Amino acid sequence: MAIKILSVDDEVDLELLLTQYFRRKIRKGEYEFFFAHNGLEALQVLLQHPDIDIILSDINMPEMDGLTMLTKINEMRNPALKCIMVSAYGDMDNIRHAMNNGAFDFATKPIDLDDLQVTIDKAIEQITYIRSAQKEHKQLVDIQGDLSVAREIQKAILPRNFTLKMPDEGGVEISASMNAAKDVGGDFYDFFKIDDERFAFTIADVSGKGVPAAIFMAVSRTLIKATGMQGVPSAECMCKANDMLSGESVDNMFVTVFYGVYNAKTGVIDFTNAGHNPPYVLHNDGSVEALPVAGNIVLGAFEGLPFTSGSITLQPGETLYMFTDGVTEAENMNHEQFGEAYLKSSLEQLKGASPKDIIADIEQKVKAFAGEAPQSDDVTQLVIKRK
Amino acid sequence: MYICRQLLFIKIIPVETVMDSTTNHDNMELIIKNEGDTITGVLSGRLDTAASTQFATDMQPLVDNAGKHIVLDCNKLEFISSSGLRLFLTLRKAATAKGGDITITGMNADIRQVFTITGFFPLFKFV
């Protein structure tokens, strides 16, 4: 596109001089010239052609002088519009005044056109740079907009209604929360009814954060749910989901998953832990016990691996507390971690608390612990209490 | 008997600028030493999500040489996030594909625990 130059001078001779000197550039469509004879006219031309790039203006003119015009142009706040001021040789006061008022550069009369060419080239270089920065800025703003939409979508796919559509709501109280460190996160929780007797639940953490993790999270959640809904044992669900995810995994992304199938009649949980932090069981006497480390590998790493399941029975009043490492690895300003020990002792003080209260309490403790330190990882909790 | 150890190249790459010069917490560094059929990566600092992007580039020589004996010296590794673990997995897969092996030395108990929980422990030889 042609560079649009507005020349402002009350001496008409200059028009001829410029069009003559730059005729090749004009013919090739590189430059396009506009002319005005005082500041007021110049502003009118600028209104009609807001895409003018460079203004080449005399300082001493009737009606509105160059310095007044410069002030008006500065009010437009367009960093991609450059003004080159022209004044008599030795008119240093006006030139300094112009430079201090945001002129890009100056030329002295009689104009050395070769030198002016260099100045124009320099201005074009800056304009091009500013334009591309403005374009990138706009793209970033657009992406930010997309991200906040993605955040809403991600929130919407996690269940927020904590009642199961089962007889007596499955005989349990459930609560969960997910706070992403970035706009979108890689953590998720899920729970869904299998039949009138059983429901399944998941807590998971995808490697990494941000958009790639969020996409992998959506895929993982869907695969696990679709497999789990068929009512297969937990180990088989993890095995199938792992085979499918290993096939899909780009860049060796993986997901740590704790998946369980709860029997509402017996309180028995058939669970498989695929590389996830072991959950805690809150017993009725206030003691807190971590489930043993399973030794299963994360999902998405290697195809065709077997998974070992375990089984526990939740007694009435007992609670299963599941979390992601965003809780235990939350850091304060000194890079100290929240840690398993503090989590366990916090849970020990929550004897008899409801899942909702447990989540609120731990969330608050994590926040208080981190203090001013930025949240470095998604913080997710899923809590199930047998009534 | 005279053994000549040829040091092919040493690369020092600071990943992030350190805000607090008295601690090295935010600094992840990888030094790679190529000695005969063994290639050693010395890791130090915190391999968190922010550092893992640069680390993925820095560890490319290890991936390229995954057919050799790789030694990962983790004596000075302070922390690893899941993004960091992913890079260990990348390296492990490259080693399997090229017939190499990976030995991890001096990993602290906290990080070892992460390897245990995630089931990564059996994938590597620990010394």
Side-chain angles (χ1 to χ4, degrees):
Chain A
M1 223 170 62
I3 294 290
K4 295 192 165 68
I5 302 171
L6 169 61
S7 164
V8 193
D9 204 307
D10 51 340
E11 291 169 36
V12 238
D13 298 354
L14 188 68
E15 295 182 19
L16 206 66
L17 196 66
L18 288 173
T19 40
Q20 179 63 22
Y21 183 84
F22 291 112
R23 62 184 183 283
R24 285 202 183 84
K25 297 247 179 205
I26 295 169
R27 213 181 299 143
K28 276 197 225 160
E30 286 176 29
Y31 290 178
E32 186 179 347
F33 274 95
F34 298 82
F35 295 98
H37 306 98
N38 60 56
L40 219 55
E41 256 186 62
L43 292 177
Q44 278 164 358
V45 174
L46 210 53
L47 273 179
Q48 285 159 8
H49 305 274
D51 55 347
I52 280 176
D53 303 289
I54 296 170
I55 295 174
L56 179 66
S57 173
D58 193 12
I59 289 182
N60 299 311
M61 291 177 298
E63 302 253 13
M64 184 191 278
D65 65 58
L67 294 177
T68 314
M69 183 196 75
L70 190 60
T71 318
K72 299 274 177 209
I73 287 170
N74 272 341
E75 285 166 9
M76 296 175 184
R77 304 226 169 275
N78 178 4
L81 174 64
K82 299 289 176 200
C83 293
I84 300 166
M85 304 307 283
V86 183
S87 194
Y89 182 79
D91 188 14
M92 203 37 91
D93 278 356
N94 272 332
I95 288 169
R96 282 310 312 152
H97 194 95
M99 292 304 286
N100 287 338
N101 274 290
F104 172 71
D105 207 340
F106 68 93
T108 50
K109 282 187 176 177
I111 297 179
D112 175 347
L113 288 167
D114 290 343
D115 181 63
L116 182 66
Q117 172 75 74
V118 175
T119 308
I120 289 175
D121 286 345
K122 202 174 67 174
I124 291 171
E125 202 175 297
Q126 283 216 9
I127 291 165
T128 313
Y129 177 75
I130 291 167
R131 289 255 162 87
S132 83
Q134 282 173 335
K135 197 175 153 196
E136 276 165 28
H137 177 77
K138 195 190 162 289
Q139 284 168 342
L140 273 181
V141 171
D142 289 349
I143 290 172
Q144 225 131 38
D146 287 351
L147 272 178
S148 55
V149 175
R151 185 189 179 93
E152 291 312 309
I153 294 173
Q154 188 171 45
K155 272 189 181 168
I157 61 174
L158 298 179
R160 274 174 299 178
N161 178 0
F162 298 122
T163 46
L164 287 153
K165 287 192 177 59
M166 291 169 65
D168 189 30
E169 293 174 3
V172 293
E173 268 181 75
I174 297 185
S175 193
S177 81
M178 195 278 255
N179 296 321
K182 287 189 177 180
D183 281 316
V184 288
D187 278 10
F188 69 94
Y189 64 82
D190 199 9
F191 49 87
F192 48 88
K193 174 186 162 180
I194 295 172
D195 51 37
D196 275 352
E197 210 168 274
R198 294 177 300 163
F199 70 87
F201 54 90
T202 314
I203 188 160
D205 181 358
V206 171
S207 60
K209 281 192 278 289
V211 174
I215 295 171
F216 199 72
M217 165 257 176
V219 174
S220 309
R221 181 210 170 240
T222 310
L223 283 179
I224 293 169
K225 186 171 181 175
T227 314
M229 294 273 266
Q230 297 163 15
V232 296
S234 65
E236 191 182 330
C237 178
M238 289 298 95
C239 192
K240 283 185 171 165
N242 177 54
D243 286 351
M244 289 185 276
L245 282 171
S246 302
E248 309 268 320
S249 173
V250 178
D251 242 1
N252 294 322
M253 287 185 87
F254 60 79
V255 56
T256 72
V257 182
F258 184 88
Y259 175 77
V261 179
Y262 181 86
N263 187 307
K265 274 202 175 145
T266 58
V268 171
I269 299 173
D270 156 42
F271 66 86
T272 298
N273 186 348
H276 196 79
N277 298 62
Y280 287 98
V281 178
L282 282 61
H283 296 299
N284 285 323
D285 62 357
S287 66
V288 174
E289 185 191 0
L291 294 182
V293 171
N296 292 321
I297 197 167
V298 297
L299 299 194
F302 295 100
E303 211 171 328
L305 292 180
F307 285 83
T308 316
S309 63
S311 171
I312 51 161
T313 305
L314 223 49
Q315 302 299 336
E318 286 190 326
T319 300
L320 182 66
Y321 175 83
M322 291 161 278
F323 64 100
T324 59
D325 58 9
V327 174
T328 45
E329 287 177 7
E331 289 186 346
N332 62 16
M333 291 303 272
N334 298 324
H335 283 292
E336 289 155 348
Q337 294 191 351
F338 190 85
E340 293 272 349
Y342 186 32
L343 175 61
K344 191 167 179 245
S345 69
S346 303
L347 291 172
E348 280 163 356
Q349 289 164 19
L350 288 164
K351 184 181 165 184
S354 71
K356 201 179 157 203
D357 290 347
I358 292 172
I359 285 173
D361 184 87
I362 301 296
E363 220 161 65
Q364 185 267 325
K365 281 203 169 70
V366 168
K367 268 198 188 120
F369 177 83
E372 296 290 302
Q375 188 188 340
S376 58
D377 201 357
D378 307 336
V379 175
T380 303
Q381 306 176 80
L382 171 63
V383 184
I384 299 172
K385 183 178 186 179
R386 187 175 179 197
K387 284 194 274 202
Chain B
M1 193 75 174
Y2 172 70
I3 301 168
C4 177
R5 280 197 159 175
Q6 197 185 11
L7 215 58
L8 289 179
F9 63 95
I10 297 180
K11 200 174 163 194
I12 302 173
I13 306 136
V15 168
E16 291 175 46
T17 48
V18 190
M19 297 299 282
D20 181 356
S21 58
T22 54
T23 59
N24 230 15
H25 277 312
D26 290 335
N27 207 18
M28 178 69 211
E29 206 175 70
L30 173 66
I31 301 171
I32 296 172
K33 298 175 197 166
N34 205 337
E35 299 162 307
D37 61 350
T38 299
I39 182 162
T40 305
V42 183
L43 290 75
S44 54
R46 299 170 49 81
L47 186 48
D48 54 20
T49 306
S52 63
T53 316
Q54 182 63 46
F55 190 82
T57 315
D58 296 346
M59 73 166 207
Q60 196 53 43
L62 293 176
V63 176
D64 294 340
N65 289 285
K68 296 185 177 185
H69 301 297
I70 296 178
V71 177
L72 298 175
D73 179 345
C74 297
N75 274 293
K76 287 179 181 163
L77 185 64
E78 295 163 23
F79 173 79
I80 189 162
S81 74
S82 58
S83 306
L85 275 180
R86 189 170 63 80
L87 300 175
F88 273 74
L89 181 61
T90 304
L91 201 54
R92 175 61 172 76
K93 284 188 174 176
T96 310
K98 294 182 180 176
D101 58 74
I102 304 172
T103 307
I104 293 176
T105 63
M107 185 175 271
N108 76 37
D110 284 349
I111 302 175
R112 218 176 253 244
Q113 177 70 3
V114 173
F115 272 69
T116 308
I117 289 174
T118 50
F120 274 46
F121 201 82
L123 301 179
F124 303 92
K125 211 162 89 187
F126 283 82
V127 177

